[in-house]
Amino acid sequence: TETSDEFGTGDVKYHLGAEGMYQTRGGQAVTVTLAHNPSHLEYVAPVVVGRTRARQTNRRGQQAVQNPSVAVPIVIHGDAAFAGQGVVAETLNLGALKGYSVGGTIHLITNNQVGFTTDIPDARSTTYASDLAKGFDVPVIHVNADDAEACLDAMRLAMMYRARFHQDALIDLVGYRRHGHNEGDEPAYTQPRMYEAIRNHPTARVRYAELLAGRGTVTAAEAEAQYESVYQHLVAEQQGLKATLAAQREAEPGPRRVVPGPEPSTEVPADTLIALNDMLLARPEGFTVHPKLGRQLERRRQVMEGDGGLDWAHAEALAFASLLTEAVPVRLTGQDTERGTFSQRHLALHDHATGAKWIPLQHLRGALAPFELHNSPLSELATVGFEYGYSAAAPEALVLWEAQFGDFVNGAQVIVDQFMSAGLSKWGVTARLVLLLPHGYEGQGPEHSSARIERFLQLAAENNMRLANCTTPAQYFHLLRRQALRARIRPLVVFTPKSLLRHPLASSQLSELAGGRFQKVMDDAWAAERAGDITRLLLCSGKVYYDLLPEAEKMKQGRPAIARLEQLYSFPEQEVRQLLERYPNLREVVWTQEEPRNLGAWDYLDEKLLAILPRNAKLSYAGRPERASPAEGYPVAHTAAQARLVEDALRA
């Protein structure tokens, strides 16, 4: 289901973005875009840079062509925030990287010499607010905000530097805030001496008017008349805006009406997939692949010809290839994404003798759109912000970012909270961005197990995003194509596997890619044939299914049905109802998860499942007990806990 209107909760006025045209003296029209931004100060910076990269990139044709002169990013910083917020360093680090460069960003520090009420010695360990930029060889131009013409010269110099060297430049605009942090503040409480000086200091406008009058450029009376004219114009604009807002219906937004959303066809003919696979395995003459990798790639040819199973990375490559031939641009970035954290992807091949790189997806015959592939720096915050911004400005493209382990998305929580999940409701802005977050309990400890499904489910509301935890390569294939082809744009979070990447049971046939579609719920084929005899149903999501299945098959009698919830949000209520109705004698539904009881999907699902449970059936839980840490730190403890939850789920 999807929402039928886009009305949300809105945002305070100083968070809202805007776009307009500026007419230059030469008659040229320049589009000026102000990005929507939260009060998390610097976090909009990578979003702005990502939007700029998307605007600079021509995605028509087989190769992406970037022209840095098409758009210029200007990021305005606060002095305390520039020194104090780590996202600034992460964003500066993107500046010269191939996958993220925009030919230089103009950074402007509005330096009021006090962040809010904290004096400089308590706010940073450096002399200047701009010193962080020195570590990235960014030129810094310090300028007095009282000197209007010097400020113009500083901006011209920064723009000239960008045009000549295609690198970042920074202006440290040293000024002050006359009224403190805002008009209602009393700054003299904490900076009495500074604000005594400010009260006796003429404004920048008055100083410049006096300078022009002294030169004879204008008289003092003419300068004052110009000021009054502009001021009255601004007052009139403000009053007109207030009147418009007052005329609008003032009411708390009610619940959104929900209607079914159209589902695109995601099938691809088998002969097309075979042809694409051949192109993905083609290499330039004389190109030498590592012998071990060569055998892995050759297997991809064999499974297309026989009855062998396609693995996860193989299905992913075919999904990307098919989209490129349908004129859908694809951009994939992330931590070790070219090869894949688990050595599964290998979309970029390296010549074993020369080190030369070859990316088959960039050389597909018949491709109508480009494929961008980049390893990202070891960053979550700035890179997810960048890709969100890119995706928001390129709605026709499938943009994906992959974490090395899903747990690491914690480092990008502000982008997830303030942009991905709430941007539609606050600003009417959404994106097709896909987060690929490896998730699964396999004894690798608390930081390599959980992509924190519970957090995304807490943020999911009003159909603001899509969450999936699919269990087969075919499901992943159809999910990616569905995300790229759906008319209604929303972010997608995929809790991707680790051990299942090569698990023999977690493989798919070519026919499953050539036919069918993404299934929000997957039933148990064995149990469906014996529906009248089934009294217990295990409902689970993700990799735990493959822990339950082998043990269930050992049971001589009393084996429960095991179904999979592949889409977590939006909750597929209709499909789950249909699943439950297939088993007329159902007495118990057991939600089974690997995650601790207070984590995972249980707290989100229990009320939803209770509301649609058959009258004579009960709902129970099987999984780890409540925990402060998401997973055990020792393999032995993990093995024991995993065996216990499987036993609890299977035995009545």
Side-chain angles (χ1 to χ4, degrees):
T1 56
E2 294 286 2
T3 175
S4 61
D5 66 69
E6 302 301 313
F7 188 80
T9 52
D11 204 351
V12 294
K13 60 187 178 183
Y14 50 88
H15 290 174
L16 301 178
E19 185 166 290
M21 299 293 290
Y22 175 77
Q23 192 81 17
T24 69
R25 292 181 179 178
Q28 292 182 315
V30 178
T31 300
V32 180
T33 302
L34 174 66
H36 303 274
N37 66 97
S39 281
H40 282 77
L41 298 173
E42 300 296 332
Y43 292 85
V44 75
V47 177
V48 168
V49 181
R51 289 182 68 97
T52 303
R53 172 79 176 224
R55 294 283 179 88
Q56 293 175 347
T57 304
N58 185 333
R59 289 173 295 278
R60 294 185 295 272
Q62 195 174 44
Q63 299 297 322
V65 179
Q66 184 190 5
N67 181 357
S69 67
V70 169
V72 179
I74 300 174
V75 180
I76 301 175
H77 308 268
D79 52 323
F82 190 88
Q85 299 288 307
V87 67
V88 176
E90 290 192 26
T91 304
L92 290 171
N93 187 52
L94 300 179
L97 303 181
K98 182 180 178 182
Y100 300 89
S101 172
V102 291
T105 297
I106 303 299
H107 299 273
L108 179 65
I109 297 177
T110 55
N111 190 344
N112 65 8
Q113 304 181 71
V114 55
F116 181 5
T117 64
T118 301
D119 288 318
I120 289 173
D122 297 318
R124 61 176 184 263
S125 297
T126 60
T127 302
Y128 297 103
S130 57
D131 282 344
L132 173 67
K134 292 179 180 179
F136 298 91
D137 291 330
V138 175
V140 178
I141 306 163
H142 302 280
V143 62
N144 186 346
D146 267 343
D147 190 336
E149 293 179 358
C151 291
L152 290 174
D153 289 340
M155 181 57 75
R156 291 190 183 103
L157 178 57
M159 290 296 290
M160 290 167 62
Y161 181 88
R162 178 186 187 272
R164 174 66 179 84
F165 298 106
H166 311 294
Q167 295 176 354
D168 289 11
L170 188 150
I171 298 170
D172 180 18
L173 182 67
V174 183
Y176 57 88
R177 270 182 165 171
R178 184 163 292 272
H179 301 291
H181 189 66
N182 58 50
E183 288 79 359
D185 191 34
E186 177 46 82
Y189 289 159
T190 49
Q191 280 77 28
R193 295 180 63 190
M194 172 186 280
Y195 275 89
E196 179 65 23
I198 290 172
R199 271 191 291 272
N200 297 319
H201 187 75
T203 66
R205 181 193 66 80
V206 169
R207 288 172 60 89
Y208 193 49
E210 291 174 349
L211 175 65
L212 293 177
R215 290 177 179 172
T217 305
V218 295
T219 66
E222 289 171 336
E224 188 65 22
Q226 287 187 25
Y227 164 71
E228 286 296 333
S229 174
V230 172
Y231 180 77
Q232 291 304 321
H233 175 72
L234 292 174
V235 169
E237 288 290 325
Q238 184 186 44
Q239 294 303 318
L241 177 61
K242 285 183 176 180
T244 301
L245 294 175
Q248 295 176 354
R249 177 172 58 90
E250 294 184 6
E252 181 181 350
R256 294 188 179 186
R257 292 178 292 111
V258 175
V259 296
E263 288 280 349
S265 173
T266 55
E267 300 175 353
V268 179
D271 55 352
T272 300
L273 292 172
I274 291 171
L276 290 172
N277 190 64
D278 288 340
M279 286 186 269
L280 291 173
L281 296 175
R283 297 184 284 275
E285 185 176 350
F287 191 96
T288 306
V289 175
H290 190 285
K292 186 186 299 184
L293 177 58
R295 291 191 293 272
Q296 294 179 36
L297 295 176
E298 188 57 31
R299 183 183 175 279
R300 294 187 180 183
R301 192 189 312 276
Q302 296 167 2
V303 299
M304 299 291 279
E305 296 171 350
D307 296 328
L310 284 81
D311 63 25
W312 199 269
H314 192 182
E316 179 187 67
L318 291 172
F320 293 156
S322 64
L323 289 170
L324 297 176
T325 64
E326 297 172 29
V328 177
V330 178
R331 175 181 166 90
L332 172 63
T333 67
Q335 298 166 336
D336 305 297
T337 293
E338 291 184 2
R339 188 201 74 167
T341 297
F342 311 101
S343 195
Q344 84 280 10
R345 182 172 284 122
H346 299 291
L347 291 179
L349 304 177
H350 297 264
D351 189 291
H352 191 48
T354 67
K357 184 186 293 188
W358 172 259
I359 301 176
L361 278 164
Q362 295 179 344
H363 301 276
L364 292 178
R365 294 189 308 276
L368 301 174
F371 179 71
E372 293 186 74
L373 175 68
H374 302 286
N375 281 342
S376 75
L378 195 59
S379 155
E380 292 85 38
L381 188 54
T383 51
V384 173
F386 185 101
E387 301 305 340
Y388 172 85
Y390 190 107
S391 183
E396 81 285 5
L398 181 66
V399 180
L400 309 97
W401 178 85
E402 183 176 58
Q404 195 173 67
F405 288 88
D407 315 58
F408 300 170
V409 78
N410 282 351
Q413 201 64 45
V414 173
I415 301 298
V416 173
D417 289 355
Q418 305 299 329
F419 291 88
M420 282 186 61
S421 69
L424 177 62
S425 184
K426 294 192 298 185
W427 313 316
V429 175
T430 188
R432 205 184 293 274
L433 177 64
V434 180
L435 299 186
L436 304 177
L437 308 180
H439 175 91
Y441 281 55
E442 288 147 344
Q444 294 178 298
E447 275 73 59
H448 299 85
S449 299
S450 175
R452 308 310 295 246
I453 288 175
E454 66 283 349
R455 292 185 182 172
F456 286 97
L457 288 171
Q458 288 167 357
L459 294 170
E462 300 181 297
N463 292 282
N464 61 334
M465 64 175 80
R466 300 168 182 139
L467 310 178
N469 190 15
C470 46
T471 54
T472 74
Q475 282 281 86
Y476 183 50
F477 172 88
H478 289 295
L479 179 66
L480 290 178
R481 288 182 47 78
R482 175 182 184 241
Q483 176 70 1
L485 299 174
R486 292 189 85 167
R488 184 160 289 164
I489 297 171
R490 294 290 186 275
L492 167 67
V493 179
V494 186
F495 303 102
T496 58
K498 295 175 288 182
S499 63
L500 301 190
L501 293 171
R502 299 178 180 84
H503 198 295
L505 294 178
S507 62
S508 299
Q509 303 299 314
L510 175 60
S511 59
E512 295 176 84
L513 279 59
R517 59 182 175 81
F518 176 72
Q519 301 176 63
K520 299 175 185 178
V521 176
M522 297 185 73
D523 199 357
D524 185 334
W526 176 89
E529 296 177 357
R530 305 161 176 81
D533 300 328
I534 298 298
T535 59
R536 296 183 76 241
L537 169 68
L538 307 188
L539 187 60
C540 64
S541 187
K543 169 248 170 190
V544 71
Y545 169 77
Y546 293 97
D547 295 318
L548 294 167
L549 184 62
E551 296 305 312
E553 290 179 339
K554 296 176 184 177
M555 299 175 67
K556 295 181 180 180
Q557 58 183 6
R559 180 208 193 278
I562 308 175
R564 288 165 275 178
L565 189 61
E566 301 279 290
Q567 177 173 298
L568 294 170
Y569 190 87
S570 300
F571 177 64
E573 180 178 334
Q574 180 179 350
E575 289 81 359
V576 176
R577 281 185 184 274
Q578 292 171 351
L579 170 71
L580 299 177
E581 289 169 358
R582 291 187 200 117
Y583 300 100
N585 297 313
L586 204 58
R587 294 293 176 267
E588 184 181 18
V589 175
V590 184
W591 173 255
T592 308
Q593 65 178 39
E594 297 181 293
E595 303 82 9
R597 188 184 183 106
N598 57 316
L599 307 178
W602 170 244
D603 283 344
Y604 163 77
L605 288 173
D606 58 351
E607 288 188 5
K608 297 183 183 299
L609 293 174
L610 280 170
I612 60 176
L613 213 60
R615 181 177 300 175
N616 297 323
K618 67 175 183 177
L619 178 66
S620 57
Y621 166 86
R624 285 172 169 80
E626 291 186 352
R627 298 289 191 200
S629 180
E632 298 83 14
Y634 301 100
V636 173
H638 158 79
T639 301
Q642 202 76 359
R644 185 166 52 249
L645 75 87
V646 170
E647 175 72 15
D648 290 345
L650 291 174
R651 311 299 173 184

